[in-house]
Amino acid sequence: MKSKKNIYMIILLFLFVTFMIIVGTYYYITTKQNNLLTSIYNTTNKNIIKTTESLIEDKQNTTLAIALALAKNDNLYKFMKDEKYEKLNYQKIVDEIAQNSKYKNVWIQIVDKNGNSIYRSWTDKKGDNLLFRKDLKNTLTIQSISTSISVGIFNLTLKARAPIYDNENNFQGALEVITHFNSITKDLKDNNIESLVITEKKYKDTIKFPYTNIFIDDYYVANKNANIAFVNYVRKNDVEKYINISDFTIENGYLISNYPLFDKNGEKLASIINFLDLKNIDTQIIKSFKVQIIMTSVITLTILFFSFLIYIYTIFLKKIKHQENKKQSILDSQ
């Protein structure tokens, strides 16, 4: 009777230990998986930010290189000195850049020393004063090479300026090359990242001739190649929620991150909202980890099970041997 009771206790102990191993394995895998997933998402977001920064920096450098090259032109010096602004024409250069590079929408603007726009390659509009732009006003004041990202009457753009001097070294104004975020967001898309460049609400009235004509409520979308599906998604789910993301969020199968864009004075200009499909994130390390832990648990349970069988078998043998000895004793006594 006592032997049977011991066997029952061992069986219950085996079942309890098995249950605890299974439950412990489940919770360990779940916790570790969440930690690994968070780490992967953090790393992915940092890579998105780094890629975005790198693309912006590269385009700023390219924009500056174009501006420096175009500013070194004797005809430009002469036209500015003689005020023959009607002879300014950069359309051919703009077309060649579009045909032979990924920069399809390069704009060239000439500004006189008083801050008046005397030539724009992309429109016939001219003669307006641009001194409301702090970056341009600063360039005309100190008469030096400069770059900036700013919001103008047409768009949020990357800009590079080079001062223009005539042959007598008299300051005449500045040549400004203006580029957009389209090639940047295209490069991000090549990395499976959909992007929306959303300017701050306060610039709604500044942008009088919107280049893209894409708005989300009072927020202007600066990249012309913005995916309309994501524009509608952000509009439907409250645009301010996305431009105020402090780091990143996981939503509807996407990792959504926010890259705030500031000017050189620290004033916020826009937010680059990046969408990365979770399917494009490599989670192989998590799968490998789960397989490893499950295999370890299976091996542990297998060893425990065979140990239990050996124990039961040993008890069974002892019981048989005890019964045989008892029978033998009875026979001997008879």
Side-chain angles (χ1 to χ4, degrees):
M1 190 72 181
K2 187 177 180 181
S3 178
K4 287 184 178 181
K5 186 177 180 180
N6 289 339
I7 291 174
Y8 291 147
M9 289 295 294
I10 293 299
I11 292 173
L12 289 174
L13 180 61
F14 169 76
L15 293 175
F16 176 76
V17 172
T18 300
F19 174 77
M20 291 303 295
I21 289 175
I22 293 173
V23 171
T25 300
Y26 171 78
Y27 279 105
Y28 178 73
I29 288 176
T30 302
T31 303
K32 193 69 175 179
Q33 178 178 275
N34 290 337
N35 291 337
L36 284 172
L37 205 53
T38 300
S39 177
I40 290 172
Y41 288 159
N42 277 318
T43 301
T44 301
N45 182 54
K46 288 177 181 178
N47 289 336
I48 292 173
I49 291 173
K50 187 176 180 180
T51 301
T52 305
E53 285 179 342
S54 178
L55 290 172
I56 292 173
E57 184 179 353
D58 287 347
K59 188 149 192 181
Q60 279 185 316
N61 291 335
T62 302
T63 304
L64 177 58
I66 295 172
L68 292 175
L70 294 178
K72 304 297 182 182
N73 185 292
D74 290 337
N75 286 331
L76 174 61
Y77 305 154
K78 185 178 179 181
F79 295 156
M80 292 296 290
K81 180 181 178 180
D82 299 337
E83 297 186 2
K84 294 181 178 180
Y85 305 142
E86 70 281 357
K87 291 188 176 183
L88 294 170
N89 191 342
Y90 289 88
Q91 192 56 51
K92 184 178 179 181
I93 293 174
V94 169
D95 291 340
E96 287 179 350
I97 293 173
Q99 291 171 10
N100 297 286
S101 74
K102 64 181 180 181
Y103 305 122
K104 307 302 180 185
N105 297 286
V106 175
W107 292 352
I108 298 171
Q109 177 168 239
I110 308 294
V111 181
D112 68 16
K113 58 186 176 182
N114 297 316
N116 299 310
S117 176
I118 58 177
Y119 171 79
R120 289 186 174 107
S121 65
W122 67 98
T123 179
D124 292 332
K125 180 177 174 55
K126 56 186 176 181
D128 51 315
N129 190 275
L130 301 177
L131 290 181
F132 71 90
R133 278 178 42 199
K134 296 177 182 178
D135 55 351
L136 181 59
K137 185 176 181 179
N138 186 59
T139 296
L140 296 176
T141 300
I142 63 176
Q143 301 175 13
S144 65
I145 297 167
S146 64
T147 61
S148 65
I149 299 175
S150 64
V151 179
I153 62 174
F154 293 94
N155 201 7
L156 166 72
T157 52
L158 302 95
K159 302 176 178 72
R161 291 164 295 278
I164 301 171
Y165 295 93
D166 62 24
N167 293 325
E168 284 74 41
N169 205 35
N170 296 311
F171 180 68
Q172 298 295 330
L175 180 146
E176 183 173 57
V177 175
I178 303 170
T179 55
H180 306 268
F181 283 84
N182 297 326
S183 64
I184 293 172
T185 53
K186 183 180 182 302
D187 286 339
L188 287 169
K189 188 171 183 177
D190 290 341
N191 286 283
N192 300 313
I193 302 168
E194 293 282 354
S195 304
L196 300 178
V197 183
I198 304 175
T199 59
E200 286 291 281
K201 189 177 184 178
K202 60 187 176 184
Y203 294 112
K204 180 186 176 184
D205 295 330
T206 302
I207 304 171
K208 301 182 185 302
F209 307 97
Y211 168 63
T212 67
N213 275 319
I214 303 173
F215 285 88
I216 301 176
D217 300 330
D218 291 333
Y219 293 88
Y220 173 70
V221 180
N223 57 313
K224 202 166 189 176
N225 54 4
N227 189 319
I228 297 302
F230 288 98
V231 171
N232 292 333
Y233 180 84
V234 170
R235 181 184 289 114
K236 179 181 177 182
N237 292 283
D238 184 11
V239 59
E240 294 193 2
K241 180 177 77 171
Y242 299 99
I243 64 175
N244 291 317
I245 293 174
S246 59
D247 195 8
F248 70 91
T249 187
I250 305 299
E251 183 179 289
N252 198 29
Y254 285 90
L255 185 152
I256 307 173
S257 73
N258 175 22
Y259 180 86
L261 202 60
F262 299 92
D263 64 14
K264 291 184 177 180
N265 297 318
E267 185 176 352
K268 188 177 180 182
L269 300 171
S271 298
I272 301 177
I273 310 300
N274 292 315
F275 296 80
L276 176 63
D277 195 324
L278 297 182
K279 295 176 183 177
N280 294 316
I281 298 177
D282 185 7
T283 57
Q284 186 59 43
I285 187 174
I286 295 178
K287 295 176 183 177
S288 299
F289 162 77
K290 288 173 68 175
V291 170
Q292 182 180 356
I293 296 301
I294 291 172
M295 288 300 295
T296 301
S297 298
V298 169
I299 292 171
T300 302
L301 288 173
T302 301
I303 293 172
L304 185 63
F305 177 71
F306 279 105
S307 298
F308 171 74
L309 289 180
I310 291 171
Y311 180 78
I312 296 297
Y313 182 68
T314 302
I315 292 176
F316 181 71
L317 287 179
K318 285 182 179 180
K319 188 176 181 181
I320 291 176
K321 188 174 181 181
H322 176 71
Q323 289 177 346
E324 287 181 348
N325 289 336
K326 189 175 180 181
K327 287 178 181 180
Q328 187 63 43
S329 177
I330 293 171
L331 289 174
D332 290 342
S333 63
Q334 289 177 347

